Amino acid sequence: MRRVACIDIGTVTARLAVADEEGERVSRLAKTSTICNLGQDVDRTRRLATDAMQRVFACCREYVASAGAAGAEGICCTMTSAARDAENSAELVAALRSLGLEPEVIPGKVEGALTFLGVAQNFGGKRILVADNGGGSTELACGVLRDGVLDLGFVESTNVGCRRITDKFLSGDEPPSKADLAAAHEFAASLFETAIERGGLRASGAAGNAGADDNAPERLVVCGGTVTTLVALDLALEPYDSSRVHLATLSREKVAELEALLASKTVEERAAMAGIQPKRAPVILGGAVAIDELLAQTGFEELTVSESDLLFGLSLAAATALPGTEGEKSPVGWKPTMRPVAKVG
């Protein structure tokens, strides 16, 4: 048995997973998530803010120490939408290297494939559409995992994320005006519609996709902090209980209801609601807009929530990148760069 640690640095959160690998089986032991808001102002400035990078560095320093304490043999680190968009990402990469990490700014298609790999473990043999709704982007991946073989027919990253929508349309009036909310919906709808049409991702039997379609996804599965928070909000979960969130379903009607509730509140009022982390309150409405439009544009009447996401997919890929596994093929055709876990003082 070999133990690996994986860090994923997103636009809103930085996360750590520690997993055990034995043969072809990988089991996740622990997952930690910290809201760092790396993507603050990136949509406007195209630069990572100094204080945002400092928050991420401090968080990752703790993560490396945790990985060492857990006995991880190797550690990898990925960076996603905010780092892709920012022109000064190299500054953060250089700082993180001092912790013994080798951060990799991964393309949206790799991000989508890793997420699909993690999610599909619960849906073997079913053609599913996976949407990873993050702070700066939403990755759409459609395919099937059958007998351990991944068949991905479509992977695309769209610039629809809770932080991006908030910064563009919802950072003014509190509660937001109807006009700003409508503009946010129009933005998300236009980007989703283009990708969904290109990938043939509409639900079988949905308007505009009448009749049986063997390539149409059977189910929409969504992961990310927004959708898990919407479930937690709906159930008033305090504290958060992942066993009640993972594989829960949300109807389109329920998402619209929760969005309307959030839109009627100020950020301060949202932060006080059961099920919402205070640091997520500023961006949760933008995320709800994205989820609502995702359902509208795909034609699904409900979605399934997954907590097995990019981090789990990354753990599966990491198991093929440890020393001595050079001949092993990664399930997604890409391997992270693993480093021994450094001791940090």
Side-chain angles (χ1 to χ4, degrees):
M1 182 180 71
R2 308 178 74 175
R3 184 163 293 173
V4 297
C6 302
I7 296 174
D8 173 60
I9 302 171
T11 301
V12 174
T13 60
R15 303 179 301 153
L16 167 71
V18 178
D20 281 345
E21 177 268 331
E22 189 167 9
E24 296 182 356
R25 183 181 179 186
V26 174
S27 56
R28 188 171 59 199
L29 298 180
K31 183 169 77 169
T32 307
S33 180
T34 306
I35 294 178
C36 295
N37 279 315
L38 179 63
Q40 71 174 61
D41 296 328
V42 167
D43 188 71
R44 178 176 60 83
T45 66
R46 287 296 186 256
R47 293 183 63 81
L48 300 177
T50 299
D51 55 337
M53 289 192 284
Q54 290 171 342
R55 290 193 297 269
V56 168
F57 180 85
C59 176
C60 288
R61 185 183 181 90
E62 293 183 7
Y63 283 175
V64 171
S66 295
E73 175 182 342
I75 189 168
C76 62
C77 178
T78 56
M79 302 169 70
T80 55
S81 180
R84 289 195 294 264
D85 289 351
E87 61 188 28
N88 64 332
S89 298
E91 294 178 29
L92 181 55
V93 169
L96 293 174
R97 281 178 177 152
S98 72
L99 300 176
L101 298 171
E102 187 55 51
E104 297 176 270
V105 181
I106 58 174
K109 286 194 173 185
V110 171
E111 183 181 357
L114 287 169
T115 301
F116 187 95
L117 178 64
V119 170
Q121 305 302 312
N122 290 118
F123 301 94
K126 293 185 179 295
R127 184 169 296 279
I128 57 174
L129 169 58
V130 173
D132 182 10
N133 176 241
S137 63
T138 298
E139 281 62 51
L140 301 172
C142 186
V144 61
L145 177 67
R146 184 175 289 112
D147 299 326
V149 178
L150 192 63
D151 178 10
L152 267 179
F154 181 86
V155 183
E156 186 167 313
S157 180
T158 66
N159 285 329
V160 181
C162 61
R163 165 61 65 184
R164 194 184 299 272
I165 288 176
T166 300
D167 289 349
K168 280 183 175 295
F169 305 105
L170 303 175
S171 58
D173 297 339
E174 291 190 42
S177 69
K178 290 183 179 180
D180 286 345
L181 201 56
H185 271 275
E186 183 178 356
F187 170 78
S190 64
L191 292 183
F192 279 147
E193 181 183 25
T194 300
I196 288 163
E197 182 177 352
R198 182 161 45 243
L201 305 181
R202 292 185 64 79
S204 181
N209 191 28
D213 182 350
D214 291 340
N215 293 316
E218 301 173 45
R219 185 180 298 198
L220 171 63
V221 187
V222 184
C223 53
T226 289
V227 75
T228 57
T229 298
L230 290 179
V231 175
L233 174 61
D234 184 42
L235 300 178
L237 293 181
E238 281 193 348
Y240 185 85
D241 183 352
S242 62
S243 68
R244 298 184 66 188
V245 175
H246 183 52
L247 301 182
T249 59
L250 284 173
S251 68
R252 185 177 172 187
E253 181 180 10
K254 175 58 70 175
V255 170
E257 176 187 318
L258 292 172
E259 182 197 324
L261 175 63
L262 293 167
S264 71
K265 308 288 186 183
T266 65
V267 170
E268 185 177 357
E269 289 169 337
R270 290 175 212 147
M273 297 171 74
I276 299 181
Q277 295 172 281
K279 288 184 178 180
R280 189 171 290 279
V283 298
I284 186 59
L285 176 58
V289 168
I291 300 299
D292 182 76
E293 285 299 336
L294 180 65
L295 284 160
Q297 298 305 316
T298 58
F300 282 94
E301 290 301 320
E302 72 170 20
L303 61 82
T304 302
V305 180
S306 175
E307 285 209 338
S308 295
D309 52 17
L310 184 150
L311 265 183
F312 193 32
L314 183 58
S315 300
L316 291 163
T320 69
L322 287 167
T325 62
E326 289 79 6
E328 293 187 26
K329 185 178 179 181
S330 166
V332 296
W334 173 88
K335 292 186 178 186
T337 300
M338 303 295 293
R339 291 286 183 260
V341 181
K343 292 184 178 180
V344 292

